[in-house]
């Protein structure tokens, strides 16, 4: 049975794992803490970047011989395969670790089985310690493995009465500078940022992260994606075409327009409204995208919600009333109150004068 010290060590491993958010895709984020036989923490580590050493390796290197006879706390079941790096289960065995606690079992068949390998070597193994907390931190990777598509966070900024722009179309700025800075943190944690053609035309967005290091991650710039069905919204000279970050334009297979030259383009089948959301997500998954930040606009968000492809909602609400203007969400194929997309609110935080609400769908 886990003790208070075991729980504290696993919670520390979860905090360490979060340091890798935005830098490890398509791999998971993982944290590891090593305690010696007396329970003193002697090594810590986290998976820092794709292709680099795993969390267990970093922690074991820090612990050295002090790991022998000790305990490892890992947020994800130690891997059991050789890819870019060796199997972590074997590394723990070779280091002489006596006990292993892991939070979440590995759903990836290629890498799973580490727990069985450890047990076969005589290591005591316990699973599920702080499982929900660890799974929440690895939501993007777990969603991608289980569903074969990226995890999608829909972010919007609105007035208190749910308007994303005034009646004349002006929208800069509804929310505060603090909220806008927080959005850059979300971008830095995502593999891709998506907007629709309406946003591309109206705002000429840049979508790159201004200061990746300040956003709280050792992240790389996310892929900038414009869903431009007719291939007419992105013009030469658009800010999204600069070299600050990679860009992908998604257009219909039969689009009459022509995207600007020199930019990556994917042609997708049409849906009832715009492009097929599942096809778009498959195309991104094939590009190693495991987490998506859906930024705009209301029509695109409605299409994602109708397709059942919104895993988290982050809304920034400003203490402003507009009374008219476009709503945050357009048609999502919801016709009666019984069909409403019900959410569980997981967090409410003050960001400057604004309120940031984070929620997840009740039915996943």
């Amino acid at each position: 049975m886990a003790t208070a010290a075991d729980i504290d060590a696993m919670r520390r491993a979860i905090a360490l794992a979060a340091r890798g958010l935005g830098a490890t895709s398509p791999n998971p984020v993982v944290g590891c803490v090593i305690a010696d036989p007396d329970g003193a923490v002697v090594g810590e580590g986290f998976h820092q970047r794709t292709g680099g050493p795993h969390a267990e390796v970093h922690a074991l290197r820090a612990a050295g011989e002090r790991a022998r006879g000790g305990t490892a706390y890992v947020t994800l079941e130690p891997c059991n395969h050789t890819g870019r790096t060796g199997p972590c289960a074997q590394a723990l065995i070779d280091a002489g670790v006596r006990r292993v606690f892991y939070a979440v079992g590995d759903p990836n068949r290629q890498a799973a089985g580490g727990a069985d390998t450890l047990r076969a070597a005589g290591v005591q193994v316990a699973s599920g310690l702080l499982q929900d907390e660890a799974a929440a931190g690895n939501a993007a990777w777990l969603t991608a493995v289980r569903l074969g598509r990226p995890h999608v966070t829909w972010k919007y900024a609105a007035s208190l009465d749910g308007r994303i722009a005034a009646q004349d179309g002006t929208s800069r700025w509804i929310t505060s500078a603090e909220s806008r800075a927080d959005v850059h943190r979300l971008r830095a944690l995502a593999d891709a940022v998506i907007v629709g053609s309406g946003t591309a035309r109206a705002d000429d967005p840049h979508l790159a992260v201004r200061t990746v290091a300040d956003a709280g991650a050792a992240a790389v710039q996310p892929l900038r994606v414009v869903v431009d069905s007719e291939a007419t919204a992105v013009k030469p000279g658009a800010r999204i075409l600069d070299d600050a970050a990679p860009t992908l334009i998604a257009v219909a297979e039969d689009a009459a327009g022509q995207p600007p030259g020199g930019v990556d383009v994917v042609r997708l089948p049409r849906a009832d409204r715009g492009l097929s959301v599942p096809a778009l997500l498959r195309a991104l998954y094939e590009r190693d995208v495991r987490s998506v930040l859906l930024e705009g606009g209301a029509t695109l968000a409605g299409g994602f919600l109708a397709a059942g492809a919104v895993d988290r909602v982050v809304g920034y609400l400003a203490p402003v009333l507009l009374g008219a203007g476009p709503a945050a969400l357009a048609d999502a194929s919801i016709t009666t109150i019984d069909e409403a997309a019900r959410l569980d609110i997981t967090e409410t935080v003050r960001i400057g004068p604004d309120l940031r609400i984070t929620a997840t769908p009740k039915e996943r």
Side-chain angles (χ1 to χ4, degrees):
M1 185 173 180
T3 66
D6 295 328
I7 293 171
D8 288 344
M10 183 62 79
R11 187 158 285 129
R12 173 60 180 167
I14 292 170
L16 288 167
R19 295 185 182 181
L21 285 168
T24 66
S25 191
N27 297 334
V29 293
V30 183
C32 179
V33 169
I34 304 291
D36 68 13
D38 296 325
V41 172
V42 293
E44 295 184 341
F46 67 98
H47 185 37
Q48 299 177 11
R49 59 180 177 81
T50 305
H54 289 186
E56 296 94 323
V57 174
H58 283 296
L60 288 171
R61 286 175 179 171
E65 282 299 313
R66 295 174 294 176
R68 191 162 299 278
T71 302
Y73 304 87
V74 194
T75 58
L76 185 68
E77 179 184 0
C79 67
N80 199 43
H81 80 298
T82 300
R84 298 182 184 179
T85 60
C88 291
Q90 189 60 49
L92 292 166
I93 293 168
D94 294 343
V97 169
R98 182 174 61 87
R99 295 193 308 161
V100 172
F101 284 88
Y102 69 88
V104 179
D106 194 333
N108 185 347
R109 293 180 180 179
Q110 184 182 10
D116 292 337
T117 296
L118 289 164
R119 291 190 182 98
V123 178
Q124 299 175 30
V125 180
S127 64
L129 181 60
L130 299 186
Q131 177 175 326
D132 290 345
E133 290 182 33
N138 233 343
W141 182 80
L142 289 169
T143 297
V145 171
R146 291 166 178 165
L147 301 182
R149 66 158 176 83
H151 179 278
V152 178
T153 295
W154 170 42
K155 162 264 164 186
Y156 70 93
S159 63
L160 203 57
D161 54 341
R163 307 291 179 174
I164 59 173
Q167 191 171 25
D168 65 355
T170 55
S171 61
R172 295 186 179 183
W173 296 103
I174 289 177
T175 53
S176 64
E178 293 91 338
S179 289
R180 297 196 296 277
D182 196 61
V183 170
H184 281 268
R185 178 188 63 83
L186 290 182
R187 287 181 185 172
L189 300 180
D191 297 334
V193 181
I194 304 179
V195 297
S197 57
T199 300
R201 289 191 184 94
D203 297 340
D204 187 22
H206 190 226
L207 298 184
V209 181
R210 292 197 186 97
T211 51
V212 171
D214 293 343
V220 296
Q221 287 283 358
L223 175 68
R224 301 176 292 187
V225 182
V226 179
V227 179
D228 184 11
S229 300
E230 306 304 331
T232 58
V234 180
K235 305 293 186 183
R239 297 174 68 217
I240 203 169
L241 298 177
D242 68 12
D243 59 0
T247 299
L248 174 69
I249 302 178
V251 305
E253 293 171 330
D254 59 351
Q258 184 63 40
V263 65
D264 192 11
V265 177
V266 60
R267 295 188 177 273
L268 302 173
R270 292 183 185 270
D272 292 338
R273 295 169 297 169
L275 299 182
S276 166
V277 171
L280 173 62
L281 292 176
R282 280 195 301 272
L284 293 175
Y285 183 89
E286 291 169 358
R287 286 168 166 77
D288 283 344
V289 170
R290 298 296 181 262
S291 58
V292 163
L293 182 63
L294 178 63
E295 288 209 26
T299 299
L300 190 61
F304 268 73
L305 190 62
V310 173
D311 302 294
R312 182 175 66 155
V313 179
V314 179
Y316 295 85
L317 298 181
V320 174
L321 298 175
L322 293 175
L329 183 66
D331 181 17
S333 298
I334 297 170
T335 58
T336 71
I337 193 66
D338 291 337
E339 297 172 349
R342 304 286 179 179
L343 308 174
D344 284 320
I345 294 177
T346 59
E347 184 185 53
T348 57
V349 178
R350 284 288 298 270
I351 304 290
D354 306 324
L355 183 65
R356 186 186 72 205
I357 299 177
T358 304
T360 56
K362 284 183 177 291
E363 296 181 6
R364 306 302 298 275

